[in-house]
Amino acid sequence: MHWQAKVQKDLAWRLELRPNELTPLGDGELTFVASVTNAHGNTGTGQHDIDVNAALPGLRIHMISGDDVVNAIEQRHDLVVSGTSEHLSAAAVVTVTINGKTYTTAVDAQGTGA
């Protein structure tokens, strides 16, 4: 499969694969190869390998304190760390480690934990 991405002024590029494009690639090892040719005909390439295992549970941590910055006022109140998950059953234990200290919580029926 081939996709194209445009190089920006800062020389960065980005390609977004939507779920309907990524899912058909299936589980297993995927090799991404990117190449570019400059105005002089010189070509450069890069490669990155990943493993896809859609059966693994997915876990996402939400933004903390609305901006991922805990200010002096927020530091004096309870801090809520929450997220969402997929492929877990209700009551599954989620372990969160912050600077070496471990906390646990359970996933609720909607797949969230707090």
Side-chain angles (χ1 to χ4, degrees):
M1 302 182 119
H2 296 277
W3 293 273
Q4 288 188 344
K6 186 175 181 181
V7 177
Q8 305 300 312
K9 289 180 183 179
D10 65 358
L11 302 182
W13 59 273
R14 176 181 167 144
L15 174 68
E16 291 186 32
L17 295 176
R18 305 224 183 293
N20 65 335
E21 296 170 304
L22 188 57
T23 302
L25 299 176
D27 284 358
E29 186 174 300
L30 293 180
T31 299
F32 291 87
V33 177
S35 64
V36 63
T37 303
N38 66 15
H40 301 289
N42 300 314
T43 300
T45 62
Q47 179 176 316
H48 189 82
D49 297 322
I50 67 167
D51 286 316
V52 176
N53 185 341
L56 292 175
L59 191 67
R60 177 165 294 193
I61 299 173
H62 294 153
M63 185 179 301
I64 297 172
S65 297
D67 57 5
D68 281 340
V69 175
V70 178
N71 63 36
I73 294 171
E74 294 165 336
Q75 192 176 30
R76 293 191 305 262
H77 297 279
D78 290 345
L79 179 67
V80 175
V81 178
S82 65
T84 57
S85 59
E86 292 183 10
H87 301 298
L88 291 175
S89 59
V93 175
V94 175
T95 302
V96 178
T97 304
I98 304 170
N99 285 346
K101 185 167 181 177
T102 301
Y103 304 85
T104 58
T105 188
V107 174
D108 66 22
Q110 286 75 44
T112 61

